[in-house]
Amino acid sequence: MPKINGNEIRPGNVLEHNDGLWSAVKVDHVKPGKGGAFAQVELRNLRNGSKLNERFRSADKVERVRLEQKDQQFLYEDDGQLHFMDAETYEQIQLPADILGDRRPFLQDGMTITVEFYESEALNATLPQKVTCMVVETEPVVKGQTAANSFKPAILDNGVKVMVPPFVGSDEAIVVNTETMEYSERA
């Protein structure tokens, strides 16, 4: 595995640190008036989700880990386990439902997601950036309501509440950004 200097750490990098695999969530480069510069890095453990703040000087060496990314097709959910199939090898794997966190409701039948593996261990799963959902319930359109930033609450077919523009009505398909969990556009 390649070693990198402490000042080369970027958000999203996966590091082997303190006998664990950590993802850099936030990186601030600090140059105090006295002493050498350092990177203040917020790390999240990929196995248990715990967080850690660490300082890395430019002379510090850390192991950067490359995760293998594989596309997996969602098959079904059973007893809190999500079952996926590799589109190339047709091998099936199962992952805990909480690997997707609060984005779990956006997982749809047959959807292809990206799973990141370290050796043979699945550490992270990512949904497509945009998902199409149906609006089940929302307030009716108020005629003449044209304020630029006016949004109204809506409940989607998966039970998630999002804010939508006033022109979106019930039984309408919209595209939701799964990273920000916000309305993106009409479908």
Side-chain angles (χ1 to χ4, degrees):
M1 282 181 272
K3 284 194 178 255
I4 59 172
N5 292 334
N7 61 349
E8 295 174 1
I9 299 171
R10 301 285 176 259
N13 286 163
V14 177
L15 310 171
E16 191 171 307
H17 180 67
N18 290 354
D19 297 326
L21 289 177
W22 301 82
S23 174
V25 178
K26 201 164 126 185
V27 179
D28 289 324
H29 293 280
V30 181
K31 186 165 184 349
K34 204 173 191 180
F38 59 87
Q40 182 73 36
V41 183
E42 183 180 318
L43 299 168
R44 183 178 55 83
N45 190 308
L46 290 175
R47 291 193 174 107
N48 61 23
S50 63
K51 291 203 171 184
L52 173 72
N53 278 314
E54 200 70 63
R55 282 186 178 180
F56 294 100
R57 303 215 171 270
S58 60
D60 295 343
K61 297 278 188 193
V62 288
E63 296 246 359
R64 183 169 173 203
V65 178
R66 297 235 186 251
L67 298 180
E68 183 183 358
Q69 294 184 335
K70 288 185 181 176
D71 287 343
Q72 302 280 334
Q73 183 179 9
F74 176 60
L75 300 174
Y76 61 95
E77 182 174 6
D78 181 35
D79 293 329
Q81 294 288 314
L82 303 174
H83 294 261
F84 295 94
M85 178 181 67
D86 190 314
E88 294 173 14
T89 63
Y90 301 109
E91 285 182 36
Q92 291 189 17
I93 62 166
Q94 59 183 27
L95 302 173
D98 60 356
I99 196 166
L100 292 172
D102 55 355
R103 286 153 183 69
R104 165 63 191 98
F106 291 106
L107 185 63
Q108 299 167 349
D109 287 341
M111 179 181 278
T112 301
I113 69 165
T114 304
V115 179
E116 294 180 323
F117 291 91
Y118 177 67
E119 292 167 0
S120 63
E121 179 186 8
L123 293 175
N124 195 12
T126 313
L127 290 172
Q129 186 175 1
K130 294 188 176 182
V131 175
T132 303
C133 297
M134 288 294 290
V135 175
V136 176
E137 184 183 319
T138 187
E139 298 169 4
V141 177
V142 178
K143 198 168 184 161
Q145 184 180 13
T146 57
N149 288 342
S150 63
F151 280 80
K152 61 183 182 178
I155 299 175
L156 303 177
D157 56 357
N158 57 13
V160 176
K161 288 184 181 179
V162 295
M163 298 300 282
V164 297
F167 57 80
V168 174
S170 292
D171 299 325
E172 216 174 306
I174 63 168
V175 176
V176 178
N177 184 327
T178 57
E179 292 173 6
T180 61
M181 295 179 72
E182 294 176 346
Y183 167 87
S184 181
E185 61 193 351
R186 269 185 168 159

